[in-house]
Amino acid sequence: MMLRITHALTIDDSVLEERFIRASGPGGQNVNKVSTAVELRFDLARCEQMPDRARSRLRRLAGARLTDDDVIIIKADRFRTQERNRADARERLADLIRESLIEPKRRIATKPTRASKERRLRAKTQRSDVKRLRRSKPDLS
C-alpha cells in the first residue's frame, strides 16, 4: 500500500511505521484498555521519492516532530478508533509533505516611492509635535 501525496508523488509504506499506543485524556475504561492512538513514524532519510529541496523544507516544517535520526513522528489520538486515528495521522503527514512541495516565491527587493517616504516623514513630524505638546514644560527651541 502507498500513501498518495499528489498525482505525481506517492510514498512507499516501507518508510512508514505505525505503532498503536494508549491515548491520553478522558475516555473512561476504554482509554485504559484499548490502544487506539497511533504513532506514525516517517523515515525521511530512506524516502527516495522526495525531491531534495522539498526534503529540506519538510525538515524545517516538521520542527519538534523531527528526531535526530531524520524520522518525523506524528501522534494521532483525536478519535476513539484505531482506523480513524490511523487515517488522521496519514492525512496529517500527507498535508505536511504537500506543504513542503510548494516552492516559496522569491522576494523581489523594491525601493519605497518618494511619496511614501514623504508620508512617513510627515507622520513622524506630526507624532513628534503631539508628544512635544504633551510635555509639562514646553520646549522653546
Side-chain angles (χ1 to χ4, degrees):
M1 200 168 134
M2 304 268 250
L3 178 63
R4 180 166 294 286
I5 307 300
T6 64
H7 67 280
L9 177 66
T10 55
I11 302 295
D12 189 39
D13 270 358
S14 65
V15 294
L16 297 175
E17 181 187 330
E18 291 173 342
R19 270 187 31 205
F20 294 100
I21 55 177
R22 289 198 177 140
S24 62
Q29 287 184 350
N30 189 58
V31 82
N32 297 326
K33 292 192 292 188
V34 186
S35 298
T36 55
V38 176
E39 183 181 83
L40 179 66
R41 301 171 73 85
F42 172 58
D43 194 347
L44 190 56
R46 284 186 26 224
C47 183
E48 289 139 14
Q49 297 96 329
M50 290 276 297
D52 288 337
R53 293 172 75 168
R55 191 185 307 247
S56 63
R57 281 193 296 273
L58 183 58
R59 283 188 184 99
R60 194 171 15 87
L61 286 169
R65 293 174 284 200
L66 183 70
T67 66
D68 293 335
D69 301 330
D70 229 13
V71 174
I72 296 174
I73 300 174
I74 294 180
K75 291 183 181 138
D77 62 354
R78 280 194 265 185
F79 302 104
R80 289 179 59 100
T81 63
Q82 276 186 358
E83 203 49 50
R84 286 186 67 190
N85 281 329
R86 185 172 183 246
D88 181 43
R90 286 174 162 261
E91 187 55 39
R92 284 172 36 206
L93 176 64
D95 289 343
L96 197 64
I97 294 171
R98 275 187 215 105
E99 193 176 342
S100 75
L101 292 172
I102 299 170
E103 191 82 31
K105 291 182 182 175
R106 292 187 57 95
R107 185 186 180 283
I108 300 168
T110 59
K111 292 183 179 178
T113 62
R114 183 174 164 188
S116 69
K117 286 181 188 175
E118 289 171 1
R119 279 193 303 270
R120 183 181 63 84
L121 293 174
R122 200 174 322 116
K124 284 171 71 77
T125 305
Q126 286 173 349
R127 188 75 187 140
S128 171
D129 290 345
V130 166
K131 288 186 171 193
R132 186 176 42 78
L133 290 171
R134 284 183 186 158
R135 289 186 200 149
S136 58
K137 193 164 52 171
D139 190 12
L140 302 174
S141 56

